[in-house]
Amino acid sequence: MKATALRMSTLFLRTLREDPADADVDSARLLQRAGYIRKAAPGIWTWLPLGLRVLNKVEAIVREEIDGIGAQEVHFPALLPREPYEATHRWEEYGDNIFRLKDRHGADYLLAPTHEEMFTLLVKDMYSSYKDLPVTLYQIQTKYRDEFRPRAGLVRGREFIMKDAYSFTIDEDGLKQAYQDERAAYERIFQRLGLNYVIVRAVSGPMGGSESEEFLAPLAIGEDTFALAPSGKAWNVEALTTPAVEDVDCSATAAMEALETPDSKTIEKLVDQANALHPRQDGRQWTAADTLKNLIIAVKHAEDDEHERPWRELVAIGLPGDRQVDMKRLEAQFAPAEIEEANEDDLKAHPEFVKGYIGPRVLGPQAEEKEGIAEPVHYLMDAHVARGSAWITGADQEGLHVFNAVYGRDFEADGTVEAVEVRQGDMSPDGSGPLSFERGVEIGQVFQLGLKYSNALDLKVLDQNGKAVPVWMGCYGIGVSRALACIAESHHDEHGLAWPAAVAPAQVHVLATGKQAEVFEKADRLVAELESQGIEVLYDDRPKVSPGVKFKDSELIGVPLVAIVGRDTMSNGTVEIRNRDGSDSVAVPAAEAAQTIAERVAALA
Amino acid sequence: MKATALRMSTLFLRTLREDPADADVDSARLLQRAGYIRKAAPGIWTWLPLGLRVLNKVEAIVREEIDGIGAQEVHFPALLPREPYEATHRWEEYGDNIFRLKDRHGADYLLAPTHEEMFTLLVKDMYSSYKDLPVTLYQIQTKYRDEFRPRAGLVRGREFIMKDAYSFTIDEDGLKQAYQDERAAYERIFQRLGLNYVIVRAVSGPMGGSESEEFLAPLAIGEDTFALAPSGKAWNVEALTTPAVEDVDCSATAAMEALETPDSKTIEKLVDQANALHPRQDGRQWTAADTLKNLIIAVKHAEDDEHERPWRELVAIGLPGDRQVDMKRLEAQFAPAEIEEANEDDLKAHPEFVKGYIGPRVLGPQAEEKEGIAEPVHYLMDAHVARGSAWITGADQEGLHVFNAVYGRDFEADGTVEAVEVRQGDMSPDGSGPLSFERGVEIGQVFQLGLKYSNALDLKVLDQNGKAVPVWMGCYGIGVSRALACIAESHHDEHGLAWPAAVAPAQVHVLATGKQAEVFEKADRLVAELESQGIEVLYDDRPKVSPGVKFKDSELIGVPLVAIVGRDTMSNGTVEIRNRDGSDSVAVPAAEAAQTIAERVAALA
C-alpha cells in the first residue's frame, strides 16, 4: 500500500503568523493559522486540504464504529420540504433557529437541522412488519442551524457535519439494547479520537422511559454546564435530582403561630421583620433559609384526551427562601408542558391568594375542603424540604406570617418536585459527595425518543399478532466537525496544534532543513522509502524557506512525529526523529531512519 | 483485507415489484425499484445503503484520477453569502435558477450552484505570487439548482453531487496545460466508470481563448443535442462551424437585373412570384434556395472603453432563403454581447430599409458612400453563401427584387458569420462527411475561463517582474450523481440493473436458494471464505424468501457476478456461478467455488 506524501512545495497551504482577528477560541485560532480551515461567512467554514484530511479521519473512525454495531449508512438531502416538519410541529418550534426558504414555485423548504422526520418516514415507506426490525440507520451529513451568534469556530457553526443515527425497534427493550450499543460505540469513538469525555445524564421527564445522555468534552470554552459527583458520574443541571432528605424530629418544635410581619412581601424584608419583631429563642438570627416561599406557576399543557384545546393549570411550589427557583429544571418536570410564573389574571381567579403572603393553608391538601376556595391548586414541595422541618411562611393575610409551620405536621403537599437551582457543594444524586460544576462542549448525545415521532408520523408495523403497533425509536448524534474542533482545543500548546496520531493529517512530518542539494536528495530518498511503506508523510520540501520557518510551521501544523534532515544531521549522517512536543528526540543513522519512523508510527497507532 | 458481506436478511432494502408512478426514465425507475434511492421531494433524493455504496465507488474513481493529476481536494460550504456572487453579477444572472434565502439577521444567502467565486476568493486570500502557481483545487460536493422542472431522476435534480475543479495559472499556456490534464483525467474517469462518452466542442466566442468542451453520454433521454461527424468528432450546435465553401464560377452568369415581384414580402411568395413572372431559363423552378434574405439584428453590447453605457448596434445578416436563422448560434458569434431581431424603431432610423425588400445595395460596403445613408450597417454573410453564387434578393423598393445578384461580383459583405440552423447531412466542420445529430446527457465539462473571474474579483499575483497580473483560470466539472444515473441508464435490461464491476454495490451476489439448513450452512461457508479473501459479497440469506423472488431481486439489483447455492446444486455438490446476464454459467464443485469467484472477480476488474 503505497502512500503519496504531501509536498509542501505544492501543497495548498499558507500558514499565518498572526491570529485571525475574530478567532475567539484556541482551536479556531490555530486551525486557521495552520491552514486547516478558512472562514466563508459567520459560522460557515471552508475545509482546506489539511483540514479535510483530518475530517476524513474523524469520519472514518465514526463510520467504522457505527458500522461495527450493525448500523447501516444512508444519506438524506439537506434541502427538505416543510411538510414532515409541520407534522411534528418542529417547523414552528425551531423558530428562528432554522434556515427556511421557498422554491421557485413558492413551496416551503428548510435546511435540515436534524432528520428525525425523514428517517421515520423512510422506515415507514420501506418496512411494515416486526420481522423487519430492529434496524439502525445513520448518515454523516451536512446540517444547518441559523445560530443567533455563531461562535468558537467549528464548535458552534451554522453549517456543520453530524453523524446522526436512528434505531427502530418493536419494543422498549429493543430500544434499550440499541441505545446501549450506540452508547458503547460512542465511548470507543471518543477514546479513539483522543477526546476526554464525560457522560452526562440529560433531562428526563417525569413520565420516565425517555433516557438520554450527553457526551461532553470537558473544556472551558463549553457552553454547557454539568454537575460532577466525586464518583465520576455527571448530570445535566436539568437532570439532577436531590437525594432524599431525612425527616427532622419535630417533637420539640413549638406550635405554629401567626405573627405580625408588616411590609414583608420579599424574603429579605420578611427576615428583617422576623428578627426585629420575633427574635428566635435560641439567640441566633432568622435567615432566608428559615422561610418557605410559595410560588404560583402556570403549567401550559397541550390538548389531550380530556381537553380539546391547549389548557392552563396553576400549581403552587413550596421552596426554601434562600434558594432561587430554577425555571428550566422545574419545567423539565412538567415536560412536555411548558411553565411560566402565574400572571395577574391567574392570581385574580384565586381570591384566596394574598400576594406576598401565600401560605400552605390555601394550597393543596389544606385547601381541599376550605370554604371559598372553588378550585384548589396542586401544591408541590421542593425536594430540599424535609418532613418535620419548621418554617416561617405566609399566613394568607396582608402583613401576617406563620412561624413554626412544620411540614408533615401543620401542612402537607401533594408531592415533591425539583424546583430550585442546584449549587456547588449540594449533595450529588448518587450520594457520593458534594457536586462540582464544570463546563463542557456537547460532542454526542444518545436519546430514547420512544414513540414521539412514530406517533406523530404514524410509523407502525404489524406485530406478531398482526396488530399495527408504533415503532420505538432512539436517536444518536455526534457533532463530527465539532468533535474535530474539540480535539484541536484539547491537543495544542502555545506553539500550535498537536494532533493525536489517529486523526493527524500525516503520520510524520519530514523537514528538509538546509540549502544543499544533498539535503534534499537525502530527504527525498527518506520520503520515497516511507511512501513505499505506506506511511503518510507531510514533506517540507520548500527550497527557499529557512529552517526556522519550517520548525515553526511544523509546530503549528502539529503532526505527532517529526523527522529532520538537515545540514547538521548530514555531517554525521543521521536523521533526527522526535515527537511534536520535542520529547524523545533521537538521532539515527540515515539508513535506519525509515525503519525507526515506521516503528514509532506503529507505536503511536 | 477482510470484507464484510451485506446480508439481505438485515440489509435496509425493499425492492419494488411495481414501477414508481412518476419515474420518467429507466435509471430512475430501476434505481428506485432496486432500492438504491428514494425520492424526498421533486429533484431531491435520499441515498439508501446500496445506492450509497455505488456513489462512493463513483466518487472514489473520480477522486483517484483527479488526485492523480496533482489537484488538491478542499471542501466549500453549500450555504454562501450573496456578496461574491453579486460581484460577478451571477446573483442576478441566475434568475429563478438558484435557491436564495435570508438568515435571521436578514442577510442574503444562496445555496451554491457552482463555486467559481469561492475558489477565486480562496486563492486570492492565500496566494500572492507567481511562485505559488500553478495550483488546481477541487471538491466533491453537494450543489443546488432550483430547476423549473426536475426530471429523469438523478439526471436533473435540485440537490445533486458534483466534482468541480478550478485551475489557477500565471498565463494562458499554463491554463492550456491544466485544461489538457483535466481533459485526459476525464477520459480515464469515464472509461473506468464504464460510460460511453463523446467529447463535444462547446461554444466558443469570436474572441478566441475560451476553449470549452463537454463530455456527453450519448443517451436518448438526454436534453442536449450534439452534431457528430463521420470522423467521430462532435460539436455542440452552437460551436459548429461551416467548412469553407468553394467559389462558384460566375463567368457565364447573366447580369444582375431588377424585376417586378409584387406582394413578395415572404420567401414563399417571392418564389411563387419569381416562377410565375420570371421563370428560369433552364426550365427548372426557382426555389427558396435561390433567394438571399437580409435580416437586420440588433447587437446589445455592454459598456466598454468607448461607451459609458450599454449600447445597441444594428447588423445585417445575409442568409440563404431556404434556411432559418439560428439566433442561438448567431448570438454565440457576438458573445458576450446579446442579440435580438431589430424592432420597428431600429428600422425607422434607417429610411434606406424597405421592409421585405432589403437588399445588399444599402448594406455594408455597398452603402458606404451612398447618399441618404447616414450610418451604414455592417453586413455579414452566412458561411454557406459561396463567392460567385447568384441570388434573387431585395432591390430596396416595394415590389422589386434583383435577380442574378452575384456575391463577390455585384455585392460584397464585411465578413462571414455562422447564422443559420445546421441540418442533418450538412458537411461537418472537419470535412469528414455529413453531420448527424444525436442526443446526450452532459456528464462533464472542461472550460477555459480565462480572466473572467480573476478580473471580476481582482485575483492578481505578482509576476516575475513584480507586477500584479490577473490569474488565468479554468473550471472543470463532473456531475457525479448524474454520471451514476447515466451508468444505470446505459447498463440495464428489462429485468433490472447490470452494473459495470467497477461501481457495482458488490462484486458477487451469493443466493442461498432452498429451505434446508444445509443450503444455508454451505452458503454461509462460501460467503465466509469470500469475506476472508476481501471480496465484496451481497448475500441473499433471507430464510423465507422463495428462489424465484431471489432470482428476480438479483436481476433487479444487478451485481455483475451471481453465485447460486441451492437444493439442485446441493445434490451434486456444486455451486452455480454465472454473469448477471445469465452468460458464462458454470457449475463448479463447492470446494472450488470461492476460487472460481475470485478469478472471475479479478477478470472483471
Side-chain angles (χ1 to χ4, degrees), chain B residues 501-523:
Chain B
V503 299
Q507 294 172 305
V508 60
H509 193 168
V510 175
L511 314 185
T513 62
K515 288 180 182 170
Q516 301 85 340
E518 214 187 338
V519 168
F520 285 90
E521 281 159 21
K522 194 162 159 188

Side-chain angles (χ1 to χ4, degrees), chain A residues 248-326:
Chain A
V248 172
D249 177 9
C250 61
S251 54
T253 308
M256 175 169 79
E257 60 178 328
L259 298 171
E260 298 279 340
T261 51
D263 186 24
S264 56
K265 281 192 181 174
T266 66
I267 295 294
E268 201 184 0
K269 285 181 178 172
L270 170 60
V271 170
D272 288 346
Q273 294 282 11
N275 281 320
L277 304 176
H278 316 290
R280 281 175 69 128
Q281 306 290 323
D282 59 9
R284 290 200 293 125
Q285 293 276 304
W286 296 112
T287 71
D290 298 309
T291 69
L292 183 77
K293 274 189 286 199
N294 292 297
L295 179 74
I296 312 296
I297 61 164
V299 182
K300 300 185 291 179
H301 298 277
E303 57 271 36
D304 56 30
D305 288 348
E306 285 177 40
H307 302 81
E308 273 185 26
R309 295 164 172 283
W311 56 289
R312 189 174 177 91
E313 176 193 20
L314 296 191
V315 172
I317 310 287
L319 61 151
D322 64 331
R323 292 202 184 235
Q324 297 299 316
V325 65
D326 181 331

Side-chain angles (χ1 to χ4, degrees), chain A residues 93-373:
Chain A
E93 280 170 17
Y94 270 115
D96 282 341
N97 288 314
I98 55 169
F99 290 103
R100 295 180 180 80
L101 65 158
K102 284 182 189 295
D103 75 1
R104 63 193 297 159
H105 306 299
D108 282 318
Y109 282 78
L110 56 78
L111 298 180
T114 64
H115 282 73
E116 280 84 350
E117 287 81 354
M118 298 306 293
F119 277 90
T120 308
L121 290 174
L122 181 64
V123 172
K124 177 181 175 179
D125 183 22
M126 304 257 292
Y127 278 177
S128 57
S129 161
Y130 74 96
K131 295 180 208 159
D132 298 325
L133 305 180
V135 66
T136 296
L137 303 175
Y138 80 99
Q139 61 176 348
I140 295 178
Q141 197 250 9
T142 304
K143 301 230 181 298
Y144 295 87
R145 275 185 77 97
D146 195 358
E147 295 286 349
F148 183 76
R149 203 173 68 86
R151 62 174 285 277
L154 299 172
V155 170
R156 185 166 291 281
R158 298 199 293 174
E159 176 174 315
F160 52 96
I161 301 164
M162 272 195 71
K163 188 282 303 186
D164 50 332
Y166 301 84
S167 67
F168 300 85
T169 55
I170 190 68
D171 55 24
E172 197 177 353
D173 282 348
L175 168 56
K176 286 185 201 295
Q177 183 58 54
Y179 179 93
Q180 288 306 327
D181 288 348
E182 288 279 343
R183 190 180 188 279
Y186 278 30
E187 296 214 53
R188 290 190 296 272
I189 288 167
F190 294 126
Q191 282 160 18
R192 290 181 62 184
L193 292 179
L195 264 178
N196 274 335
Y197 63 92
V198 177
I199 302 181
V200 175
R201 240 192 98 82
V203 59
S204 73
M207 314 302 280
S210 61
E211 192 83 22
S212 170
E213 286 161 300
E214 289 168 2
F215 287 72
L216 298 190
L219 288 167
I221 63 157
E223 287 177 332
D224 291 327
T225 299
F226 65 95
L228 187 66
S231 62
K233 285 197 181 163
W235 295 260
N236 231 330
V237 171
E238 286 78 32
L240 274 178
T241 52
T242 305
V245 286
E246 269 183 49
D247 291 1
V248 172
D249 177 9
C250 61
S251 54
T253 308
M256 175 169 79
E257 60 178 328
L259 298 171
E260 298 279 340
T261 51
D263 186 24
S264 56
K265 281 192 181 174
T266 66
I267 295 294
E268 201 184 0
K269 285 181 178 172
L270 170 60
V271 170
D272 288 346
Q273 294 282 11
N275 281 320
L277 304 176
H278 316 290
R280 281 175 69 128
Q281 306 290 323
D282 59 9
R284 290 200 293 125
Q285 293 276 304
W286 296 112
T287 71
D290 298 309
T291 69
L292 183 77
K293 274 189 286 199
N294 292 297
L295 179 74
I296 312 296
I297 61 164
V299 182
K300 300 185 291 179
H301 298 277
E303 57 271 36
D304 56 30
D305 288 348
E306 285 177 40
H307 302 81
E308 273 185 26
R309 295 164 172 283
W311 56 289
R312 189 174 177 91
E313 176 193 20
L314 296 191
V315 172
I317 310 287
L319 61 151
D322 64 331
R323 292 202 184 235
Q324 297 299 316
V325 65
D326 181 331
M327 291 295 275
K328 226 172 140 190
R329 289 189 74 220
L330 185 55
E331 188 171 60
Q333 331 262 312
F334 291 94
E338 294 174 358
I339 65 167
E340 63 188 15
E341 282 201 55
N343 60 33
E344 291 295 328
D345 286 341
D346 291 326
L347 298 180
K348 270 185 201 152
H350 288 265
E352 73 271 23
F353 295 163
V354 180
K355 205 175 163 187
Y357 297 90
I358 300 173
R361 202 182 58 91
V362 298
L363 305 172
Q366 290 71 235
E368 290 301 332
E369 285 165 30
K370 282 254 156 36
E371 247 178 81
I373 301 185

Side-chain angles (χ1 to χ4, degrees), chain A residues 18 20 30 59 92 105 108 160 165 176 196 198 200 235 251 262 289 302 359 401 407 419 428 457 486 495 536 571 590:
Chain A
E18 305 294 325
L30 292 172
E59 286 190 10
E92 294 83 23
H105 306 299
D108 282 318
F160 52 96
K176 286 185 201 295
N196 274 335
V198 177
V200 175
W235 295 260
S251 54
H401 277 86
Y407 177 39
S428 57
L457 296 165
C486 288
H495 304 299
E536 298 170 8
S571 54

Side-chain angles (χ1 to χ4, degrees), chain B residues 308-483:
Chain B
E308 273 185 25
R309 295 164 171 282
W311 57 288
R312 190 176 177 91
E313 175 194 22
L314 296 191
V315 172
I317 310 287
L319 59 154
D322 65 333
R323 293 202 183 235
Q324 296 301 315
V325 66
D326 182 331
M327 290 296 273
K328 224 172 140 191
R329 289 189 73 221
L330 186 54
E331 186 169 61
Q333 331 263 314
F334 292 94
E338 295 173 358
I339 66 166
E340 62 188 17
E341 282 202 55
N343 60 33
E344 292 296 328
D345 287 342
D346 290 327
L347 297 179
K348 269 183 202 152
H350 287 266
E352 72 271 24
F353 294 164
V354 180
K355 206 177 165 188
Y357 297 92
I358 299 174
R361 202 179 59 90
V362 299
L363 305 172
Q366 289 72 234
E368 289 300 332
E369 285 165 29
K370 282 257 157 33
E371 246 178 79
I373 301 185
E375 206 182 343
V377 298
H378 250 60
Y379 187 30
L380 298 176
M381 194 58 65
D382 178 67
H384 291 85
V385 177
R387 295 188 70 81
S389 58
W391 302 88
I392 304 174
T393 190
D396 308 299
Q397 200 177 314
E398 189 76 28
L400 205 65
H401 278 86
V402 288
F403 285 60
N404 288 329
V406 172
Y407 178 38
R409 180 188 78 180
D410 302 322
F411 64 96
E412 284 290 352
D414 295 302
T416 58
V417 73
E418 297 288 345
V420 300
E421 34 144 20
V422 189
R423 294 179 187 157
Q424 187 93 10
D426 277 355
M427 179 55 68
S428 58
D430 64 357
S432 69
L435 289 171
S436 62
F437 289 88
E438 310 279 342
R439 293 183 79 75
V441 176
E442 186 186 328
I443 45 178
Q445 185 173 27
V446 287
F447 196 94
Q448 297 183 8
L449 290 172
L451 302 175
K452 176 177 171 180
Y453 288 90
S454 307
N455 282 337
L457 296 166
D458 197 32
L459 166 60
K460 289 188 169 131
V461 294
L462 297 181
D463 71 7
Q464 278 175 293
N465 307 314
K467 196 185 146 211
V469 294
V471 173
W472 288 79
M473 286 175 59
C475 85
Y476 317 97
I478 287 180
V480 174
S481 42
R482 179 183 280 184

